[in-house]
């Protein structure tokens, strides 16, 4: 179902998504070689509960944790564990909260220590593909305009776009309509109306676009073992320019000090 929000509801969604942004910054401050993904998960859960919210993913469709932590060739939906981050890893941290009944959802891919230049380039292109997609989230455009912009940017770097997972509407439910694929044709798909709120979340692979689900039933990996990156914004569709409900500024303040 697609639910167009009122202006007041967009502000409630902004509060939820700002809390996700701050939670990811709290996680960012603890990312280093030797930390376990379970420790990051605990930090996030405590931070969210301390701010009067609930972890949005924990228990969602049976997912066991607060964060999805996806390392290197893991695309998304990695389950926090005793795995200790190593120098040279990259990790996508995806976080959801429920604040006053409204969902926030955002993801950021972090470098752990010294990451190979070709992997940093994958991260840069993935981030740029998100920004390119978000610029199209304006009233009167269609979902395909976002999809096309993401795909064009990612493929211009020589990368492939994951097809098996897509972005989504967000509101009282974590996943609402419409689906927001990261590939597609300009001018196609659902029309973007003012105050539609969507999550745009490119998952971009260095090698094959194909993915497989690990035997835990959750972790999605690349088909060839090459790395994947993932960034996600919640965006309210507005006239003329998109209204980003997510900000990466808190994360980047933390990263710049390191
Ligand atoms: Mg999402
Ligand atoms: Mg997410």
């Amino acid at each position: 179902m697609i639910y167009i929000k009122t202006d007041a509801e967009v502000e409630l969604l902004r509060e939820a998504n700002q809390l996700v942004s701050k939670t990811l910054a709290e996680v960012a401050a603890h990312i280093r070689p030797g930390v376990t993904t379970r420790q990051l998960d605990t930090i996030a859960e405590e931070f969210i509960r301390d701010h009067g919210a609930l972890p949005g993913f924990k228990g969602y469709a049976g997912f066991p944790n607060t964060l999805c932590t996806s390392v290197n060739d893991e695309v998304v939906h990695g389950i926090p564990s005793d795995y200790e981050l190593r120098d040279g890893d990259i990790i996508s941290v995806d976080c959801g909260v429920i604040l006053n009944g409204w969902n926030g959802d955002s993801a950021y891919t972090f470098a752990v220590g010294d990451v190979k230049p070709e992997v940093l380039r994958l991260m840069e292109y993935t981030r740029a593909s998100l920004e390119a997609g978000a610029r199209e989230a304006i009233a009167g455009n269609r979902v395909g305009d976002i999809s096309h912009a993401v795909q064009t940017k990612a493929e211009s770097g020589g990368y492939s776009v994951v097809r098996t997972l897509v972005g989504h509407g967000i509101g009282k439910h974590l996943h609402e309509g419409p689906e927001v694929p990261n590939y597609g044709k300009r001018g196609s798909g659902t029309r973007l109306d003012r105050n539609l709120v969507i999550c745009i979340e490119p998952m971009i692979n260095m090698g094959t676009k194909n993915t497989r689900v690990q035997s835990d039933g959750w972790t999605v990996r690349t088909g060839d073992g090459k790395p994947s990156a993932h960034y996600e914004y919640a965006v309210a569709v507005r006239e003329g320019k998109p209204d980003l409900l997510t900000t990466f500024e808190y994360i980047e303040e933390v990263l710049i000090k390191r």
Side-chain angles (χ1 to χ4, degrees), residues 169-183:
I170 187 168
K172 287 196 166 174
H173 308 278
L174 175 58
H175 295 122
E176 299 181 355
E179 291 194 341
V180 184
N182 297 302
Y183 59 96

Side-chain angles (χ1 to χ4, degrees), residues 3-252:
Y3 304 93
I4 301 297
K5 278 69 184 180
T6 65
D7 286 345
E9 289 169 343
V10 170
E11 293 316 307
L12 291 165
L13 279 163
R14 190 188 312 281
E15 287 176 20
N17 281 284
Q18 290 287 307
L19 179 56
V20 176
S21 300
K22 289 173 185 168
T23 306
L24 287 175
E26 183 69 16
V27 171
H30 293 86
I31 288 181
R32 61 175 62 85
V35 74
T36 69
T37 51
R38 199 192 308 281
Q39 286 171 321
L40 299 177
D41 189 69
T42 302
I43 288 160
E45 179 167 359
E46 288 177 359
F47 188 86
I48 290 165
R49 293 189 189 279
D50 285 349
H51 287 79
L54 297 170
F57 297 168
K58 198 168 191 175
Y60 183 87
F63 189 79
N65 289 84
T66 295
L67 300 178
C68 298
T69 53
S70 307
V71 178
N72 297 333
D73 68 320
E74 296 172 353
V75 179
V76 287
H77 302 166
I79 298 175
S81 71
D82 293 326
Y83 177 79
E84 291 182 5
L85 293 179
R86 294 177 198 163
D87 189 55
D89 282 348
I90 62 169
I91 177 173
S92 151
V93 180
D94 196 345
C95 179
V97 308
I98 304 170
L99 179 64
N100 300 317
W102 295 87
N103 280 272
D105 182 13
S106 170
Y108 195 94
T109 299
F110 298 93
V112 183
D114 286 324
V115 169
K116 284 186 198 154
E118 64 260 38
V119 180
L120 292 175
R121 183 176 179 274
L122 168 69
M123 293 165 63
E124 284 160 16
Y125 268 83
T126 306
R127 170 74 187 275
S129 74
L130 169 62
E131 303 289 351
R135 282 195 288 274
E136 299 295 324
I138 49 180
N141 274 1
R142 289 184 180 268
V143 168
D145 295 313
I146 296 172
S147 306
H148 179 80
V150 171
Q151 180 178 16
T152 301
K153 183 65 197 178
E155 291 181 352
S156 74
Y159 304 117
S160 67
V161 174
V162 170
R163 303 297 205 269
T164 48
L165 297 139
V166 297
H168 51 91
I170 187 168
K172 287 196 166 174
H173 308 278
L174 175 58
H175 295 122
E176 299 181 355
E179 291 194 341
V180 184
N182 297 302
Y183 59 96
K185 289 196 173 67
R186 199 177 273 156
S188 69
T190 304
R191 198 183 63 225
L192 302 173
D193 290 330
R194 183 179 183 277
N195 283 7
L196 175 66
V197 180
I198 52 174
C199 288
I200 305 172
E201 49 177 319
M203 291 151 268
I204 306 299
N205 294 353
M206 185 174 282
T208 178
K209 67 180 186 300
N210 297 329
T211 59
R212 60 195 170 85
V213 180
Q214 204 172 296
S215 57
D216 62 18
W218 281 105
T219 312
V220 178
R221 287 181 182 268
T222 60
D224 56 8
K226 291 185 180 171
S228 182
H230 175 217
Y231 295 82
E232 179 177 19
Y233 277 150
V235 186
V237 172
R238 305 286 198 174
E239 277 118 6
K241 88 189 251 288
D243 184 0
L244 301 186
L245 305 186
T246 305
T247 176
F248 291 152
E249 281 174 25
Y250 305 125
I251 294 173
E252 280 153 6

